[in-house]
Amino acid sequence: IVDQIFVGNGVGYNYGAGNYERVHGLLKAVMRWTALVGIGCMLLFEAFPAAFIRLFGSDGALYMEFAVRCLRSYLLLILFTCVQKGMCNLSAVHRSCTGSSAGGSYPGSVFDPVFSAYACFCRCDRYFLGSTGGR
């Protein structure tokens, strides 16, 4: 929420002042940082899942094995989620700051079902094939 306020103010003031290159640069920078944070989180969750799981408990080897598989499976698409949510939120902020708030809901209504269907496919594929790729 806080980043939306700052980005919204930056986009709105610069757009109103006619600094369109600055608006474009700000939106590109926010998308770049959103993708970098998503990549960093995905790498951390994939490389060190046990460290995050131990924050919430460790009840033995079987628990850790199951929790590592679940964490890796559940957070497999965190990068895509970061980019998608960042893109939809930025689009909504940009549209509302430029006077077209109705257009801001379009990206969310289009991309949310697409990414949700892809995520469900990945989850179902892991369910039917087993968490290790085979039964």
Side-chain angles (χ1 to χ4, degrees):
I1 293 175
V2 173
D3 66 337
Q4 302 259 332
I5 293 169
F6 290 126
V7 170
N9 286 335
V11 169
Y13 292 145
N14 285 302
Y15 188 84
N19 297 329
Y20 303 119
E21 290 180 25
R22 204 167 179 189
V23 171
H24 189 259
L26 176 66
L27 294 175
K28 280 177 58 175
V30 169
M31 277 303 297
R32 186 178 315 118
W33 281 105
T34 301
L36 287 174
V37 167
I39 289 169
C41 289
M42 186 179 73
L43 290 175
L44 283 173
F45 289 136
E46 289 294 323
F48 309 108
F52 295 102
I53 294 166
R54 280 191 215 106
L55 291 172
F56 303 102
S58 57
D59 293 336
L62 187 59
Y63 170 79
M64 275 308 253
E65 180 184 350
F66 177 74
V68 165
R69 286 183 183 176
C70 286
L71 184 73
R72 284 186 171 158
S73 174
Y74 186 71
L75 296 176
L76 181 66
L77 298 173
I78 193 167
L79 173 62
F80 298 114
T81 303
C82 286
V83 171
Q84 185 257 345
K85 290 298 181 188
M87 185 174 57
C88 291
N89 291 341
L90 280 177
S91 176
V93 166
H94 179 267
R95 296 287 185 148
S96 63
C97 289
T98 58
S100 174
S101 60
S105 63
Y106 175 74
S109 62
V110 170
F111 289 113
D112 275 346
V114 170
F115 278 101
S116 297
Y118 181 68
C120 287
F121 173 75
C122 288
R123 299 289 294 166
C124 289
D125 188 39
R126 286 182 176 252
Y127 174 74
F128 290 119
L129 295 176
S131 59
T132 58
R135 289 192 186 251

